[in-house]
């Protein structure tokens, strides 16, 4: 399957966005002071584990989508390089 340039870049951008969002979310979850993520004894609550699992799953999916986009962009660049004609060499016209 061949991805178009806009789709490839969108998937790559989505992967980068996913890394940024979910890493930020986990940092905020880890530093939660409202009592939702950790109980009074400092132990993780069910809220913490459920949201950590959601973040990890979303992070992995975002990574996979970003890799697909990266591969699409890379394939398009290789294809464009293969179709670019080489300039004539100066040594051939020196005779």
């Amino acid at each position: 399957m061949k991805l178009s340039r806009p789709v490839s870049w969108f998937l790559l951008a989505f992967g980068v966005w996913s890394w940024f969002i979910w890493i930020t979310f986990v940092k905020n979850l880890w530093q939660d002071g409202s009592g939702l993520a950790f109980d009074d004894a400092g132990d993780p609550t069910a809220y913490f584990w459920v949201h950590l699992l959601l973040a990890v799953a979303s992070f992995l999916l975002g990574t996979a989508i970003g890799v697909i986009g990266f591969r699409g962009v890379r394939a398009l660049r290789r294809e464009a390089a293969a179709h670019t004609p080489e300039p004539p060499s100066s040594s051939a016209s020196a005779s």
Side-chain angles (χ1 to χ4, degrees):
M1 179 175 163
K2 184 176 175 183
L3 298 175
S4 68
R5 184 175 309 279
V7 170
S8 296
W9 279 107
F10 174 78
L11 294 176
L12 181 58
F14 180 86
V16 171
W17 176 255
S18 182
W19 275 53
F20 175 74
I21 290 299
W22 290 108
I23 288 174
T24 302
F25 179 81
V26 169
K27 283 181 185 178
N28 291 337
L29 182 66
W30 197 267
Q31 298 170 355
D32 178 56
S34 69
L36 287 173
F38 298 97
D39 61 15
D40 294 334
D43 296 324
T45 62
Y47 176 90
F48 174 83
W49 292 114
V50 167
H51 284 82
L52 183 63
L53 179 64
L54 289 170
V56 169
S58 297
F59 179 73
L60 291 174
L61 289 170
T63 300
I65 290 169
V67 166
I68 292 168
F70 176 74
R71 293 171 104 185
V73 168
R74 193 173 58 180
L76 288 167
R77 287 189 176 175
R78 276 195 309 252
E79 183 179 302
H83 291 300
T84 304
E86 292 185 27
S89 66
S90 59
S91 63
S93 63
S95 51

